[in-house]
């Protein structure tokens, strides 16, 4: 497996991590599918969302894959009035990553990173390694260290139809 920028950063900082290669389907980005196919609890797989604050610019939210970002909580914590997700056509230029391969570790310019507070109780979570089809598993405190992140209560359940 080729090392990603996120993996190199973790190794430089002496942070232990696990990797999991999975089949990436660009037509089905549902985290539930990744969890089922790899026998992982969905609660442990976190997605990385690049967001844009009207006052601060780029901020990053890391939330459980089965939850949705509570934008007001992120806006309040970052001193913004409004938060919107970064449009896909701007994602790579701002972060250095593409959709489905965005890691909270090793972004182009290190924006503020906020990890949902649910990760603290879990103690160990999976995030994207910086390419499509590879996850990194690591302790929550190690993710906070490597991403220079902070914990924030910012997710809500996704309503079901």
């Amino acid at each position: 497996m080729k090392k990603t920028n996120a993996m190199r950063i973790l190794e430089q900082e002496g942070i232990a991590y696990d990797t999991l290669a999975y089949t990436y389907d660009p037509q089905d980005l549902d985290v539930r599918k990744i969890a089922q196919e790899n026998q992982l609890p969905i609660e442990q797989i976190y997605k990385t969302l690049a967001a844009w604050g009207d006052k601060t610019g780029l901020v990053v939210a890391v939330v459980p894959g089965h939850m949705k970002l509570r934008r007001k909580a992120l806006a309040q914590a970052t001193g913004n009035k409004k938060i919107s997700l970064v449009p896909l056509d701007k994602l790579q230029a701002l972060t250095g990553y593409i959709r489905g391969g965005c890691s909270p570790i090793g972004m182009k310019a290190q924006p503020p990173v906020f990890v949902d507070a649910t990760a603290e109780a879990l103690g160990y979570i999976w995030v994207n390694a910086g390419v499509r089809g590879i996850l990194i598993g690591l302790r929550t405190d190690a993710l906070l260290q490597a991403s220079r992140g902070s914990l924030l209560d910012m997710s809500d359940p996704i309503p079901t139809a």
Side-chain angles (χ1 to χ4, degrees), residues 56-83:
T56 63
L58 185 63
V59 295
V60 174
V62 182
V63 298
H66 67 297
M67 305 283 276
K68 67 177 183 173
L69 172 64
R70 198 168 61 245
R71 294 181 193 185
K72 284 186 179 187
L74 184 59
Q76 185 175 17
T78 58
N80 289 289
K81 287 190 179 199
K82 291 183 182 179
I83 289 280

Side-chain angles (χ1 to χ4, degrees), residues 47-116:
K47 56 191 173 188
T48 303
L49 303 173
W52 192 262
D54 63 336
K55 297 189 184 312
T56 63
L58 185 63
V59 295
V60 174
V62 182
V63 298
H66 67 297
M67 305 283 276
K68 67 177 183 173
L69 172 64
R70 198 168 61 245
R71 294 181 193 185
K72 284 186 179 187
L74 184 59
Q76 185 175 17
T78 58
N80 289 289
K81 287 190 179 199
K82 291 183 182 179
I83 289 280
S84 58
L85 294 182
V86 169
L88 292 180
D89 63 344
K90 294 185 178 7
L91 183 64
Q92 188 169 15
L94 290 171
T95 66
Y97 292 123
I98 59 174
R99 181 179 187 216
C102 197
S103 178
I105 303 166
M107 288 195 176
K108 202 171 174 177
Q110 186 59 48
V113 173
F114 295 89
V115 178
D116 191 69

Side-chain angles (χ1 to χ4, degrees), residues 28-40:
D28 187 359
L29 300 174
D30 188 9
V31 176
R32 291 181 195 282
K33 179 181 176 193
I34 297 167
Q36 288 172 346
E37 289 179 356
N38 295 284
Q39 293 81 46
L40 290 174

Side-chain angles (χ1 to χ4, degrees), residues 30-32 41-47 63-69 116 118 122 155-160:
D30 188 9
V31 176
R32 291 181 195 282
I42 185 128
E43 297 81 13
Q44 282 190 307
I45 302 176
Y46 280 59
K47 56 191 173 188
V63 298
H66 67 297
M67 305 283 276
K68 67 177 183 173
L69 172 64
D116 191 69
T118 56
L122 293 172
S155 69
D156 284 323
I158 296 173
T160 54

Side-chain angles (χ1 to χ4, degrees), residues 107-138:
M107 288 195 176
K108 202 171 174 177
Q110 186 59 48
V113 173
F114 295 89
V115 178
D116 191 69
T118 56
E120 186 174 32
L122 293 172
Y124 189 91
I125 63 172
W126 294 88
V127 296
N128 195 283
V131 294
R132 292 173 175 168
I134 303 175
L135 296 177
I136 295 173
L138 72 169

